[in-house]
Amino acid sequence: MTPKQLIDELIYRSSLAMDSKNFTGFLDLCDPAFRYAITAYIPEIRKEMTWLEHDKDGMKVLFDNLPRHNSDHSSLSRHVTVYTVEQDEAKQQAKTVSALQVFKTSLDGGATELFAVGKVYDTISMNGGNPKLLDRNVRLDTRMLGIGYHIPL
Amino acid sequence: MSRNEIAWKEQPKFPSTHFVDTRIYTDNEIFREEQEKIFNKCWIIGCHESELPNAFDYRTFHHPGGAQLFMIRGEDMKVRAFYNICPHRGNTLLYDPVGNAKRITCIFHAWSFSPKGDCTDIPRGKEGYQERYGCKDASLREVKSEVGYGGFVWVNVDDDSCTLKEYIGDALGMMEENLSMPLEVFTYHKAIVNTNYKLWHDTNSEFYHDYMHYFNRITGMMQPGYFDRKYKGYPNGHASVGSMAIKYDAYAGSQERAVGWPGLAPGGWVLIDLFPGMTFNLRTSVLRMDTAIPLGPDKLIIEFRGLGLKSDTPEQRAERVRDHNTIWGPFGRNLHEDLLGVHGQGLAMRERSDSKWVLHGREENSTIHDEVGMRHFYAEWGKRMGRQASDPFGDNKLA
Ligand code: FES
Ligand SMILES: [Fe+2]
């Protein structure tokens, strides 16, 4: 596979892992220095906001604590399209921009609704042909998120 | 033994102040009456002064009584509030939720208004109206507004209302020191939930539901001092809950607290509920402010604001953002649980779902798991509505 294909596949696999709540599988795709954030611009107050922010350990704690919380058990389906990939040979990194649509499907009856749209900004460490997620910023356009959600997007 | 139909509807074995009839959460007639007798009479938070820092800044607000409003800062730096409706053919004047307008011009036929609410121009006015109608007849409808108690912009659509000070009384006294410096809103979001606004305010008025929050159970309930926290009721239906020390490091991944809040002991927590649907919630390094805006008996918008100090350094602000979003915000651990709770109540208590009573019967000397906060709210509700929450239609034949 070309580096571009490897990068695309990494991003798509990360979504598949999250969709199936395979959190260990998701973390396996992340570099030890991984950082994750959900951010948005809030026009009502003209300010940037970070809704969720964790390093790899923090993500693991969040995932481990999930069963202890009361949560909406609807499933999410993440639709990601990698728009651009910029590789930095010298740094052995790539930066990507992907479009994101997240759909939520209720358990009772299986009705699906759009949960959120936005872009995903990833930094990927190329890791000698075995690329890993180094940084992910899920940047949401959607800010009306209903009752919210306990699992990252 | 489970209960049959008759037993299910039997009056709970409490005084009538200690339960409510669930029709108060589902009935449309009651909701309309609440808009009239409660929301259109009470002081409501429209926004915060930091959302309008400059002259001519404005912010729109959907008033829970139904009116669409905007608040705008004049050239004199005074904030005023108006109906966001053009006196000509009823168009919305300001479409964006926030902006800056030296002059407010309706997009339809270009009538213009000043930030003081005067009509300043009617295109081809003389030609069309001759001497019959002019700018002097076309001012905006101003509603009462005051800035205070932490820099919030309060509005009251009742021209004959009491002052904000009279309305609040001593209810915010416990936070006086905490609110004494300039504050700034750093986060804002809304949630729409299919539930009744009172159920949200109830959740903000009882801590017994800490059982729902894993975070609160281990950081609060299992720590010494938790059960000493006390409710205090104030006139006009307001209530407060005093502080305690929260052991935040009991939750794995919780940051060490450094920034805190002036006048709040480390690990402290003060919560004040204002009738009919606003909550000041001061915890960790953040003041959270909820405003409940009902759209119907079973539909609610909640506006959530997180505030820090205006003087924050970027590092302090970043910590407040983290503290806020760990438990609150759309991806926080606690807020989702609270919303899940009232969402579930909204599902269970619908017209025809044969729900009947909601219990507010716990008595524990006004300490944290007592349900006196809700009882205090419904005493005021009943007074203003001229209805008893336990028998809103007078047909329950209460003993
Ligand atoms: S509706 Fe506003 S100018 Fe006509
Ligand atoms: Fe709660």
Side-chain angles (χ1 to χ4, degrees), chain B residues 203 209 213 216 338:
Chain B
T203 296
H209 83 271
H213 300 307
N216 288 5
D338 286 322

Side-chain angles (χ1 to χ4, degrees), chain A residues 38 42-47 49-51 61-62 65-66 68-72 144-150, chain B residues 51 57 59 98 184-188 190-191 212 214 251-252 321 325 330-333 336-337 339-340:
Chain A
I38 300 177
I42 306 182
E44 293 97 332
I45 56 167
R46 297 177 268 211
K47 284 193 168 56
M49 182 42 41
T50 302
W51 292 125
V61 171
L62 185 155
N65 271 335
L66 282 174
R68 302 187 171 110
H69 285 278
N70 288 299
S71 307
D72 177 6
M144 185 85 90
L145 295 152
I147 61 169
Y149 208 67
H150 269 159
Chain B
E51 295 166 62
D57 280 350
R59 183 84 172 82
V98 65
E184 188 170 80
V185 174
F186 64 76
T187 183
Y188 170 87
K190 300 187 200 195
M212 173 157 78
Y214 170 64
Y251 185 88
V321 168
N325 291 329
F331 297 95
R333 300 301 98 179
H336 177 56
E337 292 170 332
L339 289 169
L340 199 58

